[in-house]
Amino acid sequence: MIEAAVHLAAQPRLDTLVTELHTESLRLRTDYAGTAWLGDRPAPDSGLTGPDYTRRTVDAQLFLPDTHWYDVDALDDVEFQVSAGLLQVAATARQSQGLVGALAEPTVDFFEHPQGDPGVGICLHLRGEIWSNLGVSYRVTVLCRREALLRVGPGADDDGAVDDGDEAA
């Protein structure tokens, strides 16, 4: 549930193969990053959002727009890192900084494809209460076995728009 519009703008996803230190096995490392705008999107000329200074509840699980699709049975040793940071606090109608409120520690989890396609994708979970429009930058790192990847997710261009993905070989 969220009482504010959410707009996700993905940065280009980074996919690399890394060697696990202790076993020397190859693992897929995927870094997802972007911005979640809660409330209004910022104006392109100033970077500021509107002064909608109202209290809103945030409890949303947001599919990352560029998520890969994974085989749930091959994710028994998956590892995550997730971080989020506040980008902007909108000014109030009186041109003063508004109260932010609070967002709890972000979490990620796998969820089934919304249209019923095979595999699970990554969801970012944001929760808390906010008083303003704001932007949250996010970074999610997933480390798993290569065979866990079913399909490559769509890629983001320089503007955060998401292109159709290619099938994994």
Side-chain angles (χ1 to χ4, degrees), residues 24-155:
E24 296 189 12
S25 62
L26 283 178
R27 299 189 30 105
L28 173 63
R29 175 185 168 152
T30 302
D31 292 291
Y32 302 93
T35 304
W37 295 105
L38 306 177
D40 293 335
R41 289 181 192 233
D45 57 340
S46 69
L48 297 175
T49 58
D52 188 5
Y53 191 63
T54 58
R55 186 175 183 164
R56 300 180 183 110
T57 299
V58 176
D59 187 1
Q61 292 184 341
L62 310 166
F63 265 107
L64 298 185
D66 56 342
T67 186
H68 286 322
W69 296 98
Y70 300 90
D71 178 355
V72 70
D73 295 327
L75 292 171
D76 55 335
D77 63 346
V78 68
E79 297 179 63
F80 284 116
Q81 279 187 340
V82 61
S83 62
L86 186 64
L87 290 178
Q88 178 187 25
V89 179
T92 67
R94 295 183 182 151
Q95 300 305 311
S96 62
Q97 283 301 118
L99 296 173
V100 176
L103 290 176
E105 181 177 345
T107 59
V108 291
D109 207 344
F110 289 104
F111 282 87
E112 293 179 356
H113 194 284
Q115 281 82 39
D117 291 346
V120 291
I122 307 267
C123 279
L124 173 65
H125 188 187
L126 298 175
R127 62 189 178 285
E129 291 201 12
I130 61 172
W131 283 91
S132 302
N133 295 308
L134 58 94
V136 176
S137 65
Y138 66 86
R139 177 167 297 281
V140 175
T141 299
V142 178
L143 191 64
C144 64
R145 295 191 314 261
R146 294 184 298 172
E147 56 271 15
L149 180 64
L150 286 177
R151 290 183 317 284
V152 173

Side-chain angles (χ1 to χ4, degrees), residues 3-33:
E3 295 174 3
V6 176
H7 310 279
L8 290 176
Q11 291 292 312
R13 180 188 58 238
L14 300 176
D15 294 308
T16 55
L17 288 177
V18 297
T19 303
E20 200 276 326
L21 180 63
H22 301 291
T23 65
E24 296 189 12
S25 62
L26 283 178
R27 299 189 30 105
L28 173 63
R29 175 185 168 152
T30 302
D31 292 291
Y32 302 93

